[in-house]
Amino acid sequence: MTEILTPNDQGLARAADHLRRGELVAFPTETVYGLGGDARDDRAVARIFEAKGRPSFNPLIVHVPDLAAARRFVTFTPMAERLAAAFWPGPLTLVLPMRADAGLSPLVSAGLPTVAIRVPAHPVAQALLRAFGGPVAAPSANPSGRVSPTRADHVMAGLSGRIAAVVDGGACAVGLESTIVGFDPVPALLRPGGLPAEVLEECLGAALAVPTVQAHRPNAPGQLDSHYAPGASVRLQASPSLPGEVWIGFGPQAEGAALNLSPTGDLVEAAANLFHYLREADRLAGPGGRIAVAPIPDHGLGRAINDRLRRAAAPR
Ligand code: TXA
Ligand code: MG
């Protein structure tokens, strides 16, 4: 059952409790309703992908209440400082280098070294972020491939029964997703959105770069290289492993695996462990080593896991 919460002290405290337990809560921002989960909790982030039925792990936006909170997770460039000072809180997302001590789940950034971060202006989003006290990963609160929700009943129509709660804050004012700006190193418009590019350019005193197709679509196949790719070679559908391979297993039958994505065969647990175990297997395999991965069922979150594994195994 998905509960509909009123954004008073009691409702917000309950929503924050859900987030603390790793549950998902949809909440209003000035752009669209977000599907929120604790950005530090691998399982909570895995559940976001599961609830949306997303067939791939594309990077999510991390929501924080203010600039000071953002500084705990990313490093700012002078240009980014200027945009944040002018437009936060508001419908602007900045993609910036992740701090080594950020403590975010690698699923949030899909293994990228950068994080998309935003300070929403909506008073209910602000109140929830402050009640929770941590970073909230939130894509739009709709099933994959459907239009973004701008009212609580839109969220319920798509996700009822799949999430713990929705905080009903009425209709979203902007109705368009946030504008996303990246810096590599010059400011570039990664996604047009609720804040017009012209307004940003006026603030910067310069035109925004138009990114290449690859930079613009972080989960497009051509962008594979910028996702974390193991140094070791990766062999898929491998059970059991061959001598000399570091075997990443799945399920109870993967006895003898160096690492097991989920001994019980739970796809949410497997997704939560995926990026950690790819790194760990890479470390165990050493330079020029070999990783083997057991078959993963190709349904539900398994589709996103297999998508990511195919990228890791792609020739490079
Ligand atoms: O208005 C919004 O931005 C809404 C509300 C809920 O805040 N959120 C939203 O999130 O639209 P989402 O997950 O649907 O959009 C995330 C997009 C990705 O598809 C990708 O284009 C970009 O943000 N993105 C995230 N992390 C990135 C990164 N590290 N590098 C480049 N692009 C990134
Ligand atoms: Mg979306």
Side-chain angles (χ1 to χ4, degrees), residues 1-313:
M1 272 297 286
T2 299
E3 46 178 13
I4 301 177
L5 298 171
T6 306
N8 52 23
D9 286 352
Q10 197 189 344
L12 290 166
R14 186 153 175 86
D17 275 347
H18 283 308
L19 290 174
R20 270 179 217 115
R21 281 198 308 273
E23 307 281 349
L24 305 184
V25 174
F27 63 97
T29 78
E30 70 277 27
T31 59
V32 299
Y33 273 73
L35 173 54
D38 185 339
R40 302 160 299 193
D41 180 336
D42 295 313
R43 268 179 181 264
V45 180
R47 286 203 185 100
I48 292 176
F49 290 100
E50 184 191 44
K52 283 185 69 89
R54 250 187 194 167
S56 61
F57 296 120
N58 59 338
L60 306 177
I61 296 172
V62 173
H63 298 67
V64 292
D66 52 34
L67 178 59
R71 289 191 203 283
R72 294 211 297 271
F73 305 105
V74 293
T75 53
F76 280 78
T77 62
M79 292 288 212
E81 292 273 358
R82 192 189 295 190
L83 291 180
F87 301 110
W88 276 358
L92 172 68
T93 295
L94 301 175
V95 175
L96 292 166
M98 193 188 325
R99 280 176 51 158
D101 62 352
L104 299 173
S105 166
L107 271 180
V108 164
S109 59
L112 293 168
T114 52
V115 186
I117 197 155
R118 129 165 163 82
V119 175
H122 197 292
V124 174
Q126 279 284 330
L128 177 61
L129 289 170
R130 288 178 197 282
F132 174 54
V136 173
S140 52
N142 53 283
S144 183
R146 305 256 292 273
V147 295
S148 297
T150 53
R151 291 185 346 208
D153 57 309
H154 297 167
V155 177
M156 287 301 278
L159 296 174
S160 179
R162 306 181 68 92
I163 62 178
V166 51
V167 183
D168 188 350
C172 302
V174 179
L176 252 188
E177 271 97 344
S178 61
T179 302
I180 304 181
V181 174
F183 305 85
D184 58 351
V186 291
L189 183 68
L190 300 187
R191 178 177 79 180
L195 190 62
E198 294 78 5
V199 177
L200 293 166
E201 289 176 334
E202 197 176 322
C203 172
L204 291 169
L208 287 165
V210 180
T212 64
V213 171
Q214 288 200 353
H216 180 63
R217 302 187 55 206
N219 55 341
Q223 179 75 2
L224 301 187
D225 295 349
S226 68
H227 277 71
Y228 171 71
S233 68
V234 179
R235 187 169 70 89
L236 303 182
Q237 308 287 334
S239 62
S241 60
L242 301 172
E245 286 179 331
V246 175
W247 189 26
I248 302 180
F250 175 82
Q253 66 279 27
E255 262 172 47
L259 301 160
N260 193 325
L261 287 168
S262 171
T264 60
D266 173 0
L267 288 168
V268 173
E269 181 182 22
N273 287 332
L274 180 65
F275 286 85
H276 296 291
Y277 286 10
L278 280 175
R279 275 183 198 277
E280 178 61 7
D282 205 16
R283 194 185 66 75
L284 291 171
R290 290 177 296 137
I291 298 171
V293 189
I296 311 291
D298 203 37
H299 59 78
L301 266 184
R303 287 168 63 209
I305 294 171
N306 283 322
D307 171 76
R308 186 63 191 73
L309 287 172
R310 276 192 296 274
R311 292 162 190 250

